Amino acid sequence: MESLTLSDVEQKYYSELFLSCDVDNTKKVASNGKVLDLFRAAQLSNEVVHQITELCGATRLGHFGRSQFYIALKLIALAQSGLALRVESLNSVRDLPLPRFVMGKNEQETRHAVMFADTENQGSYFPRHPGRVQAKKVSAHEMIQPCVPTVDPQPDTTSPVVSPHQSPPTSPHAWRKHKRQASGGNVDRQPSVPGVVWPPFREAQPGPVTGDGMWSAHSPPPVQESWVSFTDTPPSSTLPMHPPSAQVITTVRTVPSAMTTNEIQRQISGYDDPWKITDEQRQYYINQFKTIQADLTGLIPGSAAKEFFTKSKLPILELSHIWELSDFDKDGALTLDEFCAAFHLVVARKNGYDLPEKLPESLMPKLIDLDDSAGVPEPAPEVGFSASPVEVTPNKSPSMPSLNQNWSELNQSNEQWETFSERSSSSQTLTQFDSNIAPADPDTAIVHPVPIRMTPSKIHMQEMELKRTGSDHTHPTSPLMAKPPELSDETKLAATIKFPGTTVGDGYSSSDSFTSDQEPISSAVNRQRSHSGTSPEGLKVVAPPPPPPRPHASHSRSSSLDMNRNFAAVPAGPQQPGVVAFPPAVPPRPLPTQTSVPHGHRSVEGDGLPAHTSTSPHQMPEQPNFADFSQFQAFAVDQPADDGENASDKTTGTMKTAKNDVQSEERNATTVNSTKVSTPLAPPPKPVRRRLKSEDELRPDVEDLPQKSNIIATVLATQPSIPRSIGKDKKAIQASIRRNKETNTVLARLNNVIECDHQERISLEVQLEQLRPFSHL
Amino acid sequence: MAVCIAVIAKENYPLYIRSVPTQGELKFHYTVHTSLDVVEEKISGVGKALADQRELYLGLLYPTEDYKVYGYVTNSKVKFVIVVDSSNTSLRDNEIRSMFRKLHNSFTDVMCNPFYNPGDPIQSKAFDSIVSTMMVQAC
């Protein structure tokens, strides 16, 4: 870049100019827009301007850096002095006057103080305008920085750039106006940089005193006329807008239409909000509202509002946008507040202000408190169109129409539009929230109840088990455990359907009470179980069962059954009347059956199977083998161990008999189980429980799981919250329940098979016995 | 994130269609058009049952190699169609449902506007902004 030496004055001047152009504070200025305007304001021909731009290197760079800008300014000064534009002359020419920009640059030199004063006023005016538009501009173009946080600085920086007001006061207006109109209603879509920069430049108007005078002259009268004559020809101008906050300043002072001049009058008010409605305006709006809707607390139906606002001759698209902005509760009708906001926006639009993307704060309708909801229905019917909001609202949210209606009704009674409440936002969020939640809830509520409930009860049972426990006590808990799931299922279903959460908690607590109530019963069961338990344990010699998981599953099952029984007894007879009776009956049954069956067998088989005498004890040990049915063959092969235990097959010596013996013993066990299976069809878990009981006795290791599930149960029981909250555990529990169920079915089938085989075996043995004597022959 | 979102009127002409412009929009228009057949099929199938029992969300209409098309019908037979990229596997059904819900809500807001004549193309900025949030952000 060519070196440039500037005098102090020049330096200062240039920097001010640069600052005024550098709205973004990026230390470089786009080559279009503001700078171009500035250059044009220097009253140089376009060619010269181009030349200058080239010379300073901006064309090369594409933008004006500080140095380029300074060079350009110097060249402008050169040109204005009539000197040839040459780079060399940049430094050579001495005493070059500062470049003059028509827009009142002149003042620059003198002025600051004056400018300030002027610009202050101007600023108050201008910022308002731009402010208004700015609301929109800013959103659309971030570049438009709110240059000046305060009014003062702004004029300071902008003054150099100047306001067109000066010499051709109107021309800039017209200029701007044209530009504005060109962009039409689409200011929002202002294109690009030029558009963007343009406004800021324009807005830098505040400065010239003349402009000020002009403005002030215009201000009062138009104000009055403009927005008053709405119905005929929309107020062409003045909208007494209040000065925007400083930030707003940047936007375009879009002075768009002819009314521009009029509209500029903004009264200097201390308000920062460009969108604020003055009292006069509001009064006017209210009067207009009354012409449509006599009741100030009522609503204006959409159709009436449409007619009314169509008179403003704004394009339908813009009216549609205004409606979207102002109909805050989205009910298709306008309350007084909403109407004022819409009216205000229409007036603003007529005056050339761009519509904001969002409703400005000051225009937000103040909603009534919920307390007034009672009063709402009354005005609504009076309105006549009341049907519309009601009709509309149901469509609002597909899932919660009723809620929307309530909200809209509440919002409608806006008479206290002075009262500010957060309801609008809350209502919106509420409606959306509800619509989002409503569908979710029923689904989830319906889906989960049953399985979830199971878990806690099971866990609870196991917890009870733990409480009672000792290894022998696992059994008593198992019936208890068996109980809770069923009960909990029912309670849970009820809970989910009616009281999602509370009932569940109750269920838990009830289960607790139930279990406690059932203690004596369970202890009785314990006693019985212990009887059966001890003997097998004493006899237990065989290694534990092949499929460990299954026993777990069944274990939990049975325990759950027990719980169910306990619960059923307490809460309601109808629930599981049979169950109540069963559990107590069951324990004794296995023993006698166990003993009787083998006895029966023994009698049938004669002395062939002495082992049967010890069936009961043996049955227990057999039971593990029972589960291990698949390994039965292997088992039979491994006779020695089994034989030792059974002490039956040795005499026969045949695999078959041995097998039969083993089978018979197993069968016995299974028979017992199967009988149990057959009998308690009502409580299917019973047989499982039976099996589990014995299995539990035989398998201490199984207790680990119950204990663990007990712990989980206790945890769940202690949580009164909705089952849903348990989450992962439930899933795991549900999975285990599923597994248990599967195991159950498998074992039940196995039972049946075994029983059939047993029958066959018995018949075979009978035949054998009958034929035995003949064999010796 | 949808690649294309369309609102089709009861008479099966589009009220609003917007797609990520990077790819040929014509292709999306065509996809949406063909999906209308599937929508018709789905809603006519349940016709025998009570109409109000029909669920609004139709689910996946059909998958193509590159895209998946989801449908949603309102009770007034206005259809919403969302086309998403197949490579976007993380998009779950619930998310699609919520997208449709939002679309439906903003559509009703548009309907509430007295200046909107049903059957006109939708030019609401609010609706546009809602759709923008759901579209894949074009770079």
Side-chain angles (χ1 to χ4, degrees), chain B residues 39-40 42-43 54-59 61 71-81 100 104:
Chain B
V39 172
E40 286 289 335
K42 284 196 187 264
I43 61 178
R54 176 168 51 79
E55 199 193 299
L56 305 182
Y57 176 70
L58 301 177
L61 296 178
Y72 182 98
V73 182
T74 68
N75 286 324
S76 55
K77 299 283 198 302
V78 173
K79 304 152 186 92
F80 298 94
V81 177
F100 276 124
H104 196 171

PDB file of all heavy atoms in Angstrom, chain B residues 39-40 42-43 54-59 61 71-81 100 104:
ATOM      1  N   VAL B  39     -49.732 -43.900   1.048  1.00  0.00           N
ATOM      2  CA  VAL B  39     -50.564 -43.283   2.088  1.00  0.00           C
ATOM      3  C   VAL B  39     -52.025 -43.621   1.850  1.00  0.00           C
ATOM      4  O   VAL B  39     -52.746 -44.002   2.782  1.00  0.00           O
ATOM      5  CB  VAL B  39     -50.365 -41.757   2.093  1.00  0.00           C
ATOM      6  CG1 VAL B  39     -51.359 -41.094   3.023  1.00  0.00           C
ATOM      7  CG2 VAL B  39     -48.953 -41.412   2.513  1.00  0.00           C
ATOM      8  N   GLU B  40     -52.429 -43.492   0.633  1.00  0.00           N
ATOM      9  CA  GLU B  40     -53.835 -43.786   0.321  1.00  0.00           C
ATOM     10  C   GLU B  40     -54.166 -45.209   0.677  1.00  0.00           C
ATOM     11  O   GLU B  40     -55.218 -45.518   1.227  1.00  0.00           O
ATOM     12  CB  GLU B  40     -54.083 -43.563  -1.184  1.00  0.00           C
ATOM     13  CG  GLU B  40     -54.126 -42.115  -1.608  1.00  0.00           C
ATOM     14  CD  GLU B  40     -55.383 -41.410  -1.116  1.00  0.00           C
ATOM     15  OE1 GLU B  40     -56.397 -42.092  -0.879  1.00  0.00           O
ATOM     16  OE2 GLU B  40     -55.330 -40.191  -0.951  1.00  0.00           O
ATOM     17  N   LYS B  42     -52.775 -47.029   2.895  1.00  0.00           N
ATOM     18  CA  LYS B  42     -52.842 -47.245   4.340  1.00  0.00           C
ATOM     19  C   LYS B  42     -54.112 -46.694   4.942  1.00  0.00           C
ATOM     20  O   LYS B  42     -54.682 -47.279   5.853  1.00  0.00           O
ATOM     21  CB  LYS B  42     -51.626 -46.578   5.006  1.00  0.00           C
ATOM     22  CG  LYS B  42     -50.361 -47.362   4.820  1.00  0.00           C
ATOM     23  CD  LYS B  42     -49.293 -46.909   5.786  1.00  0.00           C
ATOM     24  CE  LYS B  42     -47.979 -47.582   5.481  1.00  0.00           C
ATOM     25  NZ  LYS B  42     -47.743 -48.756   6.291  1.00  0.00           N
ATOM     26  N   ILE B  43     -54.540 -45.562   4.443  1.00  0.00           N
ATOM     27  CA  ILE B  43     -55.715 -44.998   5.098  1.00  0.00           C
ATOM     28  C   ILE B  43     -56.992 -45.631   4.605  1.00  0.00           C
ATOM     29  O   ILE B  43     -57.992 -45.632   5.292  1.00  0.00           O
ATOM     30  CB  ILE B  43     -55.785 -43.465   4.947  1.00  0.00           C
ATOM     31  CG1 ILE B  43     -55.879 -43.055   3.488  1.00  0.00           C
ATOM     32  CG2 ILE B  43     -54.605 -42.818   5.603  1.00  0.00           C
ATOM     33  CD1 ILE B  43     -55.990 -41.556   3.324  1.00  0.00           C
ATOM     34  N   ARG B  54     -58.305 -44.584  13.461  1.00  0.00           N
ATOM     35  CA  ARG B  54     -57.088 -44.721  12.679  1.00  0.00           C
ATOM     36  C   ARG B  54     -56.016 -43.852  13.298  1.00  0.00           C
ATOM     37  O   ARG B  54     -56.239 -42.711  13.648  1.00  0.00           O
ATOM     38  CB  ARG B  54     -57.367 -44.288  11.238  1.00  0.00           C
ATOM     39  CG  ARG B  54     -56.135 -44.312  10.353  1.00  0.00           C
ATOM     40  CD  ARG B  54     -56.547 -44.154   8.925  1.00  0.00           C
ATOM     41  NE  ARG B  54     -57.435 -43.006   8.754  1.00  0.00           N
ATOM     42  CZ  ARG B  54     -57.042 -41.762   8.699  1.00  0.00           C
ATOM     43  NH1 ARG B  54     -55.771 -41.479   8.825  1.00  0.00           N
ATOM     44  NH2 ARG B  54     -57.918 -40.798   8.528  1.00  0.00           N
ATOM     45  N   GLU B  55     -54.849 -44.409  13.407  1.00  0.00           N
ATOM     46  CA  GLU B  55     -53.791 -43.627  14.001  1.00  0.00           C
ATOM     47  C   GLU B  55     -53.251 -42.635  12.990  1.00  0.00           C
ATOM     48  O   GLU B  55     -53.159 -42.929  11.801  1.00  0.00           O
ATOM     49  CB  GLU B  55     -52.675 -44.550  14.469  1.00  0.00           C
ATOM     50  CG  GLU B  55     -51.788 -43.866  15.491  1.00  0.00           C
ATOM     51  CD  GLU B  55     -50.523 -44.640  15.706  1.00  0.00           C
ATOM     52  OE1 GLU B  55     -50.639 -45.791  16.141  1.00  0.00           O
ATOM     53  OE2 GLU B  55     -49.450 -44.093  15.430  1.00  0.00           O
ATOM     54  N   LEU B  56     -52.893 -41.501  13.478  1.00  0.00           N
ATOM     55  CA  LEU B  56     -52.449 -40.462  12.565  1.00  0.00           C
ATOM     56  C   LEU B  56     -51.071 -40.778  11.988  1.00  0.00           C
ATOM     57  O   LEU B  56     -50.790 -40.467  10.845  1.00  0.00           O
ATOM     58  CB  LEU B  56     -52.416 -39.106  13.270  1.00  0.00           C
ATOM     59  CG  LEU B  56     -53.740 -38.694  13.925  1.00  0.00           C
ATOM     60  CD1 LEU B  56     -53.604 -37.328  14.552  1.00  0.00           C
ATOM     61  CD2 LEU B  56     -54.852 -38.677  12.899  1.00  0.00           C
ATOM     62  N   TYR B  57     -50.269 -41.358  12.817  1.00  0.00           N
ATOM     63  CA  TYR B  57     -48.908 -41.626  12.369  1.00  0.00           C
ATOM     64  C   TYR B  57     -48.913 -42.928  11.567  1.00  0.00           C
ATOM     65  O   TYR B  57     -49.339 -43.967  12.061  1.00  0.00           O
ATOM     66  CB  TYR B  57     -47.996 -41.746  13.591  1.00  0.00           C
ATOM     67  CG  TYR B  57     -46.578 -42.129  13.269  1.00  0.00           C
ATOM     68  CD1 TYR B  57     -45.730 -41.239  12.621  1.00  0.00           C
ATOM     69  CD2 TYR B  57     -46.084 -43.372  13.615  1.00  0.00           C
ATOM     70  CE1 TYR B  57     -44.432 -41.584  12.337  1.00  0.00           C
ATOM     71  CE2 TYR B  57     -44.782 -43.727  13.334  1.00  0.00           C
ATOM     72  CZ  TYR B  57     -43.959 -42.826  12.697  1.00  0.00           C
ATOM     73  OH  TYR B  57     -42.667 -43.166  12.419  1.00  0.00           O
ATOM     74  N   LEU B  58     -48.457 -42.847  10.339  1.00  0.00           N
ATOM     75  CA  LEU B  58     -48.492 -44.032   9.488  1.00  0.00           C
ATOM     76  C   LEU B  58     -47.201 -44.820   9.544  1.00  0.00           C
ATOM     77  O   LEU B  58     -47.159 -45.972   9.157  1.00  0.00           O
ATOM     78  CB  LEU B  58     -48.756 -43.622   8.037  1.00  0.00           C
ATOM     79  CG  LEU B  58     -50.067 -42.863   7.801  1.00  0.00           C
ATOM     80  CD1 LEU B  58     -50.168 -42.445   6.353  1.00  0.00           C
ATOM     81  CD2 LEU B  58     -51.250 -43.731   8.190  1.00  0.00           C
ATOM     82  N   GLY B  59     -46.172 -44.203   9.969  1.00  0.00           N
ATOM     83  CA  GLY B  59     -44.906 -44.919  10.050  1.00  0.00           C
ATOM     84  C   GLY B  59     -44.168 -44.920   8.731  1.00  0.00           C
ATOM     85  O   GLY B  59     -44.421 -44.101   7.838  1.00  0.00           O
ATOM     86  N   LEU B  61     -43.370 -45.513   5.274  1.00  0.00           N
ATOM     87  CA  LEU B  61     -44.204 -45.834   4.126  1.00  0.00           C
ATOM     88  C   LEU B  61     -43.478 -46.822   3.235  1.00  0.00           C
ATOM     89  O   LEU B  61     -43.991 -47.867   2.899  1.00  0.00           O
ATOM     90  CB  LEU B  61     -44.556 -44.574   3.345  1.00  0.00           C
ATOM     91  CG  LEU B  61     -45.407 -43.547   4.111  1.00  0.00           C
ATOM     92  CD1 LEU B  61     -45.645 -42.331   3.261  1.00  0.00           C
ATOM     93  CD2 LEU B  61     -46.712 -44.164   4.540  1.00  0.00           C
ATOM     94  N   GLY B  71     -44.873 -41.268   6.806  1.00  0.00           N
ATOM     95  CA  GLY B  71     -46.125 -40.564   6.523  1.00  0.00           C
ATOM     96  C   GLY B  71     -46.953 -40.292   7.773  1.00  0.00           C
ATOM     97  O   GLY B  71     -46.783 -40.937   8.806  1.00  0.00           O
ATOM     98  N   TYR B  72     -47.821 -39.359   7.656  1.00  0.00           N
ATOM     99  CA  TYR B  72     -48.695 -38.945   8.761  1.00  0.00           C
ATOM    100  C   TYR B  72     -49.909 -38.312   8.131  1.00  0.00           C
ATOM    101  O   TYR B  72     -49.778 -37.494   7.222  1.00  0.00           O
ATOM    102  CB  TYR B  72     -47.931 -37.935   9.622  1.00  0.00           C
ATOM    103  CG  TYR B  72     -48.661 -37.433  10.829  1.00  0.00           C
ATOM    104  CD1 TYR B  72     -48.424 -37.990  12.078  1.00  0.00           C
ATOM    105  CD2 TYR B  72     -49.532 -36.371  10.742  1.00  0.00           C
ATOM    106  CE1 TYR B  72     -49.056 -37.501  13.210  1.00  0.00           C
ATOM    107  CE2 TYR B  72     -50.169 -35.882  11.863  1.00  0.00           C
ATOM    108  CZ  TYR B  72     -49.922 -36.437  13.094  1.00  0.00           C
ATOM    109  OH  TYR B  72     -50.533 -35.962  14.205  1.00  0.00           O
ATOM    110  N   VAL B  73     -51.065 -38.717   8.582  1.00  0.00           N
ATOM    111  CA  VAL B  73     -52.288 -38.157   7.998  1.00  0.00           C
ATOM    112  C   VAL B  73     -53.121 -37.535   9.105  1.00  0.00           C
ATOM    113  O   VAL B  73     -53.268 -38.126  10.171  1.00  0.00           O
ATOM    114  CB  VAL B  73     -53.107 -39.261   7.314  1.00  0.00           C
ATOM    115  CG1 VAL B  73     -54.344 -38.676   6.673  1.00  0.00           C
ATOM    116  CG2 VAL B  73     -52.279 -39.979   6.296  1.00  0.00           C
ATOM    117  N   THR B  74     -53.670 -36.387   8.854  1.00  0.00           N
ATOM    118  CA  THR B  74     -54.541 -35.788   9.861  1.00  0.00           C
ATOM    119  C   THR B  74     -55.960 -36.253   9.611  1.00  0.00           C
ATOM    120  O   THR B  74     -56.253 -36.913   8.622  1.00  0.00           O
ATOM    121  CB  THR B  74     -54.510 -34.263   9.784  1.00  0.00           C
ATOM    122  OG1 THR B  74     -55.143 -33.857   8.558  1.00  0.00           O
ATOM    123  CG2 THR B  74     -53.086 -33.755   9.784  1.00  0.00           C
ATOM    124  N   ASN B  75     -56.812 -35.862  10.516  1.00  0.00           N
ATOM    125  CA  ASN B  75     -58.196 -36.283  10.368  1.00  0.00           C
ATOM    126  C   ASN B  75     -58.907 -35.591   9.226  1.00  0.00           C
ATOM    127  O   ASN B  75     -59.973 -36.024   8.802  1.00  0.00           O
ATOM    128  CB  ASN B  75     -58.956 -36.026  11.670  1.00  0.00           C
ATOM    129  CG  ASN B  75     -58.581 -37.034  12.725  1.00  0.00           C
ATOM    130  OD1 ASN B  75     -58.351 -38.197  12.400  1.00  0.00           O
ATOM    131  ND2 ASN B  75     -58.483 -36.613  13.962  1.00  0.00           N
ATOM    132  N   SER B  76     -58.300 -34.535   8.744  1.00  0.00           N
ATOM    133  CA  SER B  76     -58.909 -33.869   7.600  1.00  0.00           C
ATOM    134  C   SER B  76     -58.215 -34.261   6.312  1.00  0.00           C
ATOM    135  O   SER B  76     -58.263 -33.546   5.315  1.00  0.00           O
ATOM    136  CB  SER B  76     -58.844 -32.354   7.791  1.00  0.00           C
ATOM    137  OG  SER B  76     -57.507 -31.967   8.023  1.00  0.00           O
ATOM    138  N   LYS B  77     -57.528 -35.378   6.380  1.00  0.00           N
ATOM    139  CA  LYS B  77     -56.881 -35.943   5.194  1.00  0.00           C
ATOM    140  C   LYS B  77     -55.775 -35.073   4.628  1.00  0.00           C
ATOM    141  O   LYS B  77     -55.459 -35.143   3.447  1.00  0.00           O
ATOM    142  CB  LYS B  77     -57.909 -36.231   4.079  1.00  0.00           C
ATOM    143  CG  LYS B  77     -58.970 -37.230   4.464  1.00  0.00           C
ATOM    144  CD  LYS B  77     -58.401 -38.628   4.416  1.00  0.00           C
ATOM    145  CE  LYS B  77     -59.447 -39.715   4.369  1.00  0.00           C
ATOM    146  NZ  LYS B  77     -60.400 -39.776   5.412  1.00  0.00           N
ATOM    147  N   VAL B  78     -55.197 -34.289   5.486  1.00  0.00           N
ATOM    148  CA  VAL B  78     -54.005 -33.564   5.065  1.00  0.00           C
ATOM    149  C   VAL B  78     -52.819 -34.445   5.410  1.00  0.00           C
ATOM    150  O   VAL B  78     -52.722 -34.977   6.516  1.00  0.00           O
ATOM    151  CB  VAL B  78     -53.884 -32.213   5.796  1.00  0.00           C
ATOM    152  CG1 VAL B  78     -52.568 -31.546   5.497  1.00  0.00           C
ATOM    153  CG2 VAL B  78     -55.040 -31.324   5.390  1.00  0.00           C
ATOM    154  N   LYS B  79     -51.943 -34.608   4.455  1.00  0.00           N
ATOM    155  CA  LYS B  79     -50.871 -35.560   4.671  1.00  0.00           C
ATOM    156  C   LYS B  79     -49.530 -34.855   4.860  1.00  0.00           C
ATOM    157  O   LYS B  79     -49.224 -33.878   4.175  1.00  0.00           O
ATOM    158  CB  LYS B  79     -50.760 -36.504   3.473  1.00  0.00           C
ATOM    159  CG  LYS B  79     -52.087 -37.206   3.204  1.00  0.00           C
ATOM    160  CD  LYS B  79     -52.224 -37.569   1.739  1.00  0.00           C
ATOM    161  CE  LYS B  79     -53.604 -38.130   1.446  1.00  0.00           C
ATOM    162  NZ  LYS B  79     -54.576 -37.127   1.020  1.00  0.00           N
ATOM    163  N   PHE B  80     -48.784 -35.376   5.761  1.00  0.00           N
ATOM    164  CA  PHE B  80     -47.420 -34.905   5.946  1.00  0.00           C
ATOM    165  C   PHE B  80     -46.479 -36.029   5.549  1.00  0.00           C
ATOM    166  O   PHE B  80     -46.670 -37.171   5.955  1.00  0.00           O
ATOM    167  CB  PHE B  80     -47.166 -34.553   7.418  1.00  0.00           C
ATOM    168  CG  PHE B  80     -48.026 -33.443   7.932  1.00  0.00           C
ATOM    169  CD1 PHE B  80     -49.213 -33.717   8.585  1.00  0.00           C
ATOM    170  CD2 PHE B  80     -47.646 -32.129   7.777  1.00  0.00           C
ATOM    171  CE1 PHE B  80     -50.004 -32.698   9.076  1.00  0.00           C
ATOM    172  CE2 PHE B  80     -48.433 -31.102   8.269  1.00  0.00           C
ATOM    173  CZ  PHE B  80     -49.608 -31.383   8.914  1.00  0.00           C
ATOM    174  N   VAL B  81     -45.499 -35.672   4.805  1.00  0.00           N
ATOM    175  CA  VAL B  81     -44.532 -36.685   4.381  1.00  0.00           C
ATOM    176  C   VAL B  81     -43.138 -36.193   4.729  1.00  0.00           C
ATOM    177  O   VAL B  81     -42.776 -35.050   4.439  1.00  0.00           O
ATOM    178  CB  VAL B  81     -44.629 -36.947   2.862  1.00  0.00           C
ATOM    179  CG1 VAL B  81     -43.570 -37.938   2.430  1.00  0.00           C
ATOM    180  CG2 VAL B  81     -46.007 -37.469   2.507  1.00  0.00           C
ATOM    181  N   PHE B 100     -43.464 -35.176  13.440  1.00  0.00           N
ATOM    182  CA  PHE B 100     -44.804 -35.039  12.875  1.00  0.00           C
ATOM    183  C   PHE B 100     -45.712 -34.251  13.794  1.00  0.00           C
ATOM    184  O   PHE B 100     -46.561 -33.474  13.359  1.00  0.00           O
ATOM    185  CB  PHE B 100     -45.409 -36.422  12.602  1.00  0.00           C
ATOM    186  CG  PHE B 100     -45.005 -37.008  11.284  1.00  0.00           C
ATOM    187  CD1 PHE B 100     -44.409 -38.254  11.219  1.00  0.00           C
ATOM    188  CD2 PHE B 100     -45.216 -36.320  10.109  1.00  0.00           C
ATOM    189  CE1 PHE B 100     -44.040 -38.803  10.000  1.00  0.00           C
ATOM    190  CE2 PHE B 100     -44.849 -36.850   8.887  1.00  0.00           C
ATOM    191  CZ  PHE B 100     -44.255 -38.102   8.831  1.00  0.00           C
ATOM    192  N   HIS B 104     -47.649 -30.972  12.787  1.00  0.00           N
ATOM    193  CA  HIS B 104     -49.100 -30.865  12.903  1.00  0.00           C
ATOM    194  C   HIS B 104     -49.482 -29.632  13.696  1.00  0.00           C
ATOM    195  O   HIS B 104     -50.402 -28.897  13.360  1.00  0.00           O
ATOM    196  CB  HIS B 104     -49.652 -32.141  13.559  1.00  0.00           C
ATOM    197  CG  HIS B 104     -51.126 -32.305  13.381  1.00  0.00           C
ATOM    198  ND1 HIS B 104     -51.804 -33.446  13.722  1.00  0.00           N
ATOM    199  CD2 HIS B 104     -52.074 -31.465  12.916  1.00  0.00           C
ATOM    200  CE1 HIS B 104     -53.082 -33.308  13.453  1.00  0.00           C
ATOM    201  NE2 HIS B 104     -53.289 -32.123  12.965  1.00  0.00           N
TER     202      HIS B 104
END
